[in-house]
Amino acid sequence: MNADHASIATGDVSPSTLITGSHNVLIQADQVLLHAVDQARAAQRDPTRMLRILALLATPVTPPCPPASGGEDGGASPLNLRAEWRRLEAAVRDIQAPILLSRVLPPTLDALRRALSPRAFHQEAHPHVLHFAGHAWAQGLLLEDEHGQTHRVTADALRAALSPPRPLDLIVLNACETAADDAHTAARALLDAGIARAVVGHPVRVADDQAIRFAGTLYADLCDGFALCEAVARAQRHLVGHAAVLLGDGDLRFADLDRTAPLIVPGAPIADLPGASAHPFFGRGATLVHLAQRLADPPGVIVITGPAGIGKSRLALEAAARNAWRFPGGIAYVRVPDDPRTATVASLLGELAAALRLDVAPTDERDLRRRLLAHTRTVPTLIVLDNLDALLEQDAECAALADLLRDLGGSSAALLTARQPSATLEEHSGAEFVPLHAGLEERAARAFARTLTARQRAPLDETDLAAIVQATDGHPLLIERLTALSRRRDRDALLREVRDGRGDGAAQLERVYAWHAARVDAAGERLWASLPLFPAGQAPEAVLQTIAGPEGITNLRAAAGVIEFDPERQAWRWHATVAAYAARRWSPDDAARRDRLARLMDAW
């Protein structure tokens, strides 16, 4: 076919230009292609002479139920689709061809349906190519719902939901089993329904790196005017063990494209979120869904609490990145310093304004606050404050922070992390505390350890990883440190120490919990020292009060933040490593242990 496509220059589009001032972010999917076309024209490029690619990348946070027949199940490897988006961007830039790449967010079926709306087609903003990346099974795709949960979309559901005014030229299903030898595959259904003139998919599982190199070569050749069948054949060299399947019009080609550089339009504000991890995010699915539900109904202040290294910061960053599309005003991330002398609200205001790229001169605190709030009240904005402990320990600064958060207004929200809760924040800003005391569940913890081992080239096998996960009870920081130690230590000796709770394993526990232990009073310490008496990692309130009275529970929760109440079980619980640390630091003799157990019998 001929695609009427003119001359462009290199450059990416700032998402703040794309969406600033839009108060209804839910219509963003409906306008993503219109925005992309508008930005191309604003950059003096002709979008009608560019290969327009719309990307849909899905990685649900909850494991899917096993499909009815075959395909991927809940054991499918976690995907890092932010990394895949970066790789796709890089591949498009490397091509240096006239590609207009945009992304639809959230990655839901409804958002995709709106992105392929009649309005986009009537205004010549429709995509030529729909690029899907994520997990799939033989009869459908795994998309997300608005909160990131798995939405299993069958081929029939795809066919029923998508009805563009005229067929797309090409759909690339860069996912496993999307074009298996079956008449009911997603690829076959999309082609037979007339949604696309041609569909490319994979009949078996495909590695992420192979899939992205395949797509990059495919798009490069299409921009060079090769027929689709030739482009697919050339891209095959990046696939190991299988060949991609082409259904439909193999003679499809794009002619008269401009010979200029690509234009990339992200579907959400770009946030300077630190530590863009080289590995996927593991576990915490239910908590991520809860955070998404809370962020979907701002204004709100959410504080993630828990012991050091349990994953508070990583969880907050993941939640912020996944929900960026809800906040067209941008995401402002600030990590609060550990030194109370520099942990002030005044310093936060300047860093927040800089993170949001507000045109604010570093004037007095009152003016900074006024200008920041003018922004958050005008356009939905997400504030992420990490490592708040040093600030929360200062009563005046904590009160000033509570006032700031209470006044965010509009549809803005704040996501905070701290080791322990703060009564001031709860009372004055209406903050909701989300305790994070459990480690990663076993499957996610082993996947995390396996990824670290591969990245660090550590000499650990699956049995070793299982031992580390069991000894740490899925504590992310301890897993990371122990797998790293295995490169410098004798593996067998290290694993024996891990199992016995001594040596390097005990030293890592000391680093994680010493901060908390220094903040408990005598009653809290007496209770903490008794936690090893409860192998299950939880106990009823009456039992714990027998040891240290109610003030012990209050202090251990408020000052140390290592214990939480579980409303489902109506019991207090703690991470296994909390008890392991207590057993090492406050180890009682046999007589004291028997005495404590005897005093607990009546309470039980």
Side-chain angles (χ1 to χ4, degrees):
M1 55 83 71
N2 290 326
D4 294 326
H5 294 302
S7 176
I8 63 176
T10 305
D12 296 340
V13 175
S14 165
S16 59
T17 303
L18 172 64
I19 51 185
T20 293
S22 169
H23 293 271
N24 185 358
V25 296
L26 294 181
I27 67 170
Q28 189 175 336
D30 182 30
Q31 298 180 342
V32 60
L33 288 162
L34 297 175
H35 283 309
V37 166
D38 287 344
Q39 291 303 312
R41 288 171 176 152
Q44 297 183 337
R45 310 180 190 185
D46 184 356
T48 65
R49 298 188 63 193
M50 302 174 75
L51 181 65
R52 299 187 293 275
I53 302 176
L54 177 67
L56 176 69
L57 283 64
T59 173
V61 300
T62 53
C65 300
S69 60
E72 297 186 8
D73 56 20
S77 60
L79 299 173
N80 187 357
L81 287 184
R82 281 198 300 285
E84 181 146 348
W85 171 251
R86 290 194 298 270
R87 290 198 299 268
L88 182 59
E89 284 184 303
V92 168
R93 288 194 186 97
D94 289 345
I95 294 169
Q96 284 298 293
I99 292 175
L100 180 58
L101 175 65
S102 55
R103 184 178 180 184
V104 59
L105 287 170
T108 66
L109 182 59
D110 189 49
L112 177 60
R113 183 182 64 82
R114 295 199 308 270
L116 301 178
S117 68
R119 177 164 57 163
F121 277 77
H122 294 156
Q123 298 189 26
E124 296 185 338
H126 60 284
H128 299 108
V129 181
L130 172 63
H131 175 101
F132 169 78
H135 279 311
W137 84 105
Q139 282 80 41
L141 309 178
L142 298 186
L143 302 185
E144 302 177 22
D145 70 4
E146 186 185 341
H147 302 121
Q149 300 176 100
T150 298
H151 181 197
R152 182 178 294 279
V153 182
T154 64
D156 288 341
L158 282 171
R159 188 163 43 211
L162 302 181
S163 55
R166 66 174 182 267
L168 300 168
D169 295 306
L170 174 64
I171 296 178
V172 176
L173 300 176
N174 230 19
C176 308
E177 302 185 6
T178 48
D181 187 16
D182 189 319
H184 300 289
T185 62
R188 174 58 64 182
L190 291 168
L191 184 71
D192 289 349
I195 295 171
R197 297 176 57 189
V199 182
V200 173
H202 299 273
V204 296
R205 293 188 178 225
V206 56
D208 294 350
D209 58 342
Q210 294 179 29
I212 201 68
R213 288 197 300 269
F214 170 84
T217 299
L218 175 67
Y219 298 146
D221 278 6
L222 289 176
C223 287
D224 284 338
F226 289 100
L228 177 59
C229 59
E230 297 177 70
V232 170
R234 275 178 41 83
Q236 298 282 8
R237 69 179 187 271
H238 298 298
L239 304 178
V240 177
H242 80 281
V245 174
L246 167 60
L247 302 175
D249 186 1
D251 293 328
L252 180 84
R253 68 176 71 226
F254 297 88
D256 301 325
L257 298 182
D258 277 343
R259 299 305 307 159
T260 47
L263 183 67
I264 297 171
V265 183
I270 294 175
D272 294 326
L273 298 177
S277 181
H279 56 73
F281 184 83
F282 295 90
R284 310 289 193 203
T287 307
L288 280 171
V289 170
H290 173 74
L291 292 175
Q293 291 170 337
R294 191 70 181 83
L295 291 172
D297 188 27
V301 177
I302 307 169
V303 187
I304 303 172
T305 63
I310 201 68
K312 303 182 297 295
S313 298
R314 186 78 173 88
L315 177 64
L317 291 170
E318 182 72 12
R322 282 182 166 275
N323 290 276
W325 61 274
R326 302 181 190 277
F327 299 99
I331 300 178
Y333 171 89
V334 175
R335 179 174 175 82
V336 180
D338 294 320
D339 187 346
R341 293 171 297 180
T342 55
T344 64
V345 172
S347 64
L348 285 184
L349 290 170
E351 291 190 61
L352 290 171
L356 292 170
R357 298 174 175 83
L358 301 181
D359 186 16
V360 179
T363 55
D364 62 78
E365 179 181 348
R366 182 178 300 177
D367 187 48
L368 277 172
R369 185 181 189 278
R370 178 180 61 79
R371 297 192 184 194
L372 176 66
L373 292 179
H375 178 81
T376 62
R377 290 168 177 170
T378 302
V379 59
T381 305
L382 179 62
I383 303 296
V384 183
L385 300 179
D386 194 11
N387 190 46
L388 272 176
D389 301 284
L391 190 147
L392 296 181
E393 291 174 358
Q394 307 172 70
D395 291 341
E397 296 295 338
C398 185
L401 175 64
D403 288 342
L404 175 69
L405 297 176
R406 186 189 60 237
D407 293 339
L408 286 179
S411 297
S412 294
L415 189 56
L416 287 57
T417 74
R419 291 176 178 172
Q420 58 197 41
S422 164
T424 302
L425 279 184
E426 186 174 16
E427 292 171 6
H428 297 284
S429 67
E432 174 189 346
F433 290 92
V434 177
L436 194 66
H437 292 80
L440 300 174
E441 57 90 15
E442 183 178 1
R443 188 173 202 160
R446 290 183 69 164
F448 177 53
R450 190 179 303 117
T451 301
L452 291 174
T453 298
R455 190 175 64 181
Q456 299 166 352
R457 299 183 180 178
L460 300 170
D461 59 24
E462 286 294 323
T463 302
D464 301 334
L465 298 181
I468 290 177
V469 167
Q470 182 177 16
T472 60
D473 199 31
H475 193 296
L477 179 61
L478 293 175
I479 291 174
E480 189 167 5
R481 289 181 173 174
L482 289 174
T483 54
L485 279 170
S486 68
R487 297 179 59 196
R488 305 190 300 272
R489 289 281 314 278
D490 176 78
R491 181 187 63 175
D492 294 336
L494 175 63
L495 291 173
R496 280 196 300 272
E497 290 179 359
V498 169
R499 295 187 186 97
D500 297 342
R502 57 186 177 84
D504 283 318
Q508 299 301 338
L509 280 177
E510 179 74 27
R511 293 180 186 178
V512 168
Y513 291 113
W515 186 93
H516 299 275
R519 283 160 172 75
V520 295
D521 62 10
E525 182 177 306
R526 188 162 61 250
L527 177 57
W528 195 346
S530 300
L531 295 185
L533 299 176
F534 311 100
Q538 58 185 13
E541 186 160 349
V543 176
L544 298 187
Q545 287 185 5
T546 300
I547 296 173
E551 69 279 5
I553 298 178
T554 301
N555 181 255
L556 192 57
R557 184 190 196 192
V562 295
I563 188 171
E564 67 167 332
F565 187 72
D566 184 346
E568 285 190 23
R569 295 179 174 83
Q570 286 295 297
W572 289 88
R573 67 178 183 180
W574 50 91
H575 191 267
T577 54
V578 172
Y581 172 81
R584 177 175 178 270
R585 177 164 177 157
W586 301 293
S587 180
D589 57 32
D590 290 342
R593 181 180 177 84
R594 285 195 300 270
D595 178 63
R596 291 179 187 178
L597 288 172
R599 286 191 289 115
L600 291 175
M601 290 180 65
D602 288 342
W604 276 112

